Structure formats: C-alpha cells, structure tokens
Amino acid sequence: QQQVKQSPQSLIVQKGGISIINCAYENTAFDYFPWYQQFPGKGPALLIAIRPDVSEKKEGRFTISFNKSAKQFSLHIMDSQPGDSATYFCAASKGSSYKLIFGSGTRLLVRP
Amino acid sequence: EAGVVQSPRYKIIEKKQPVAFWCNPISGHNTLYWYLQNLGQGPELLIRYENEEAVDDSQLPKDRFSAERLKGVDSTLKIQPAELGDSAVYLCASSLGVKQFFGPGTRLTVL
C-alpha cells in the first residue's frame, strides 16, 4: 500500500515533443504528490507538486495531471529540450509525516 | 540562499571499516532527512528529524547505522561496520514545511 509505481522506466523524445511520465499509488491517505528531477551526480530537485484537491497544475513547460478516482498522476513536459534529459521521480506523502515514498524513476533522453 | 551541504561527496572504504557523513541543512529548516539511494532507484527514507528529535527511524538498520542531530542543525550519519551492500548514495534533505530540498549526496563505495 505504500508503493508508488512509475512508468515508463526510460523514455526517448525528440526535441520539441511532449514527454509523459505516469505514476500510480494505492494509499488513499497520500495528500501530496511532488515530482523531482535528478541529473547525474546531483541530488533530486523539486520540479512541481500537486495536492489531490486539484486535477491539474502547470508551471512553465511542466504540468501535473491528477486523477483521484484512478489514483494516478502524470508529468507532462511540453516542448521537451535536450537540457531536460535527466531522471524524473514521482513521489507521495501523507499528512504531517512528510515521509516521501518515491517511484522507481524514469530516465528521459531528449534528442536534438 | 545556500542549499543543503553534504560532505564528503565521495568515500571509498574497505568493508568492516566505519564511515560518517555530514549534512548542513538550509538555514531555518527544522526538519532534516537522510535518504538512501541505490543505483537506478528512488530514494528511501532512513531517518527524519524534527529539530533534535528523531521522529521516524523505522527504516534505519540500527545494528550498524546511527545518526545524530546536535542542536537541531547539522547532522551526522554513521555506519559501523560497513558492508558491501551499503554501497549507495546517501542523500540529506531539509524542509520547513512539506517541500523537501536535497543535497548533492555522498557516494559511498565499499570494497
């Protein structure tokens, strides 16, 4: 019940295309869903996050879509750029514990 | 504003040796986390501090791992003795609320 399942494991997109990464969770008590971006040799960096009371949140080229009934959420990267090539992690936490449960990660490669 | 600082960035040790990692969180952040990240996987929480108190250490292997956060600021994570399977990246994060900010991590290699 604590798992967050992420797919795909890897993704190749052409420059200018849309990158889509999906996550699914089981625990309905989760109430905070962030996405992190990690470059090699660096720590994860918070990209964007959403609460379950909204279905979509957009920040620049990054959008989270949230489907509470399906217990799924996804990250969309519009106009993908080679600089977006990194590993992306979804995560979830509940209440005041702030214990993040991470997905297994998606390695994104954006070809020039 | 300075981010989370960790040292050393890399550490190579022989198995059965002790090792320690240090973390300085973002100023004013009262919550500090230590995560373990194995190659190709997402981070997993080891321990969470609220100020000086360890409020969640359920995932910390207490037979060989220990941690402390003196004065509610810096923190040290120790492994004694290290095993081959401890080779991983050890990440420190801090937060004031729900948003967690990660340091660059310490890559540990146990030979």
Side-chain angles (χ1 to χ4, degrees):
Chain A
Q1 252 212 342
Q2 288 289 355
Q3 274 190 318
V4 176
K5 295 183 179 179
Q6 184 171 346
S7 64
Q9 191 173 19
S10 62
L11 181 62
I12 300 175
V13 173
Q14 289 297 126
K15 178 183 176 181
I18 302 174
S19 304
I20 302 175
I21 304 170
N22 302 298
C23 282
Y25 63 97
E26 290 293 325
N27 191 340
T28 55
F30 287 146
D31 60 3
Y32 176 69
F33 302 89
W35 284 90
Y36 281 83
Q37 178 190 59
Q38 187 174 28
F39 292 104
K42 305 289 186 183
L46 180 63
L47 258 182
I48 186 173
I50 199 168
R51 296 276 190 184
D53 53 346
V54 297
S55 61
E56 186 174 283
K57 184 175 181 180
K58 183 176 181 179
E59 289 183 3
R61 296 185 294 111
F62 301 93
T63 299
I64 299 180
S65 297
F66 188 85
N67 186 330
K68 188 174 181 179
S69 60
K71 291 185 287 186
Q72 295 176 348
F73 58 110
S74 60
L75 176 69
H76 296 234
I77 306 175
M78 313 300 287
D79 187 26
S80 298
Q81 299 296 313
D84 296 331
S85 297
T87 300
Y88 293 80
F89 293 95
C90 63
S93 68
K94 60 180 178 179
S96 59
S97 73
Y98 301 155
K99 176 180 178 177
L100 286 174
I101 306 298
F102 282 85
S104 54
T106 297
R107 294 186 71 173
L108 171 65
L109 175 63
V110 181
R111 294 197 188 281
Chain B
E1 181 183 284
V4 177
V5 179
Q6 291 188 247
S7 69
R9 292 295 317 277
Y10 306 91
K11 189 74 176 178
I12 301 174
I13 61 172
E14 299 280 336
K15 63 180 181 181
K16 299 185 181 181
Q17 293 299 305
V19 65
F21 314 122
W22 175 80
C23 173
N24 178 244
I26 293 173
S27 178
H29 283 194
N30 59 326
T31 307
L32 184 146
Y33 315 76
W34 283 103
Y35 287 85
L36 167 71
Q37 186 174 28
N38 286 305
L39 188 64
Q41 298 182 26
E44 299 174 37
L45 181 69
L46 288 172
I47 188 168
R48 176 171 69 98
Y49 282 92
E50 293 288 346
N51 300 305
E52 307 87 22
E53 183 182 0
V55 295
D56 184 355
D57 63 357
S58 57
Q59 300 300 106
L60 190 72
K62 298 181 184 63
D63 56 337
R64 297 183 300 107
F65 286 65
S66 64
E68 61 181 9
R69 189 181 185 198
L70 300 177
K71 300 181 181 179
V73 181
D74 295 359
S75 178
T76 302
L77 178 68
K78 298 178 181 177
I79 309 175
Q80 183 171 11
E83 297 179 352
L84 295 176
D86 296 331
S87 295
V89 174
Y90 292 82
L91 293 163
C92 179
S94 69
S95 71
L96 186 56
V98 69
K99 293 182 179 181
Q100 295 184 29
F101 297 88
F102 285 80
T106 297
R107 180 175 295 278
L108 173 67
T109 302
V110 182
L111 302 176

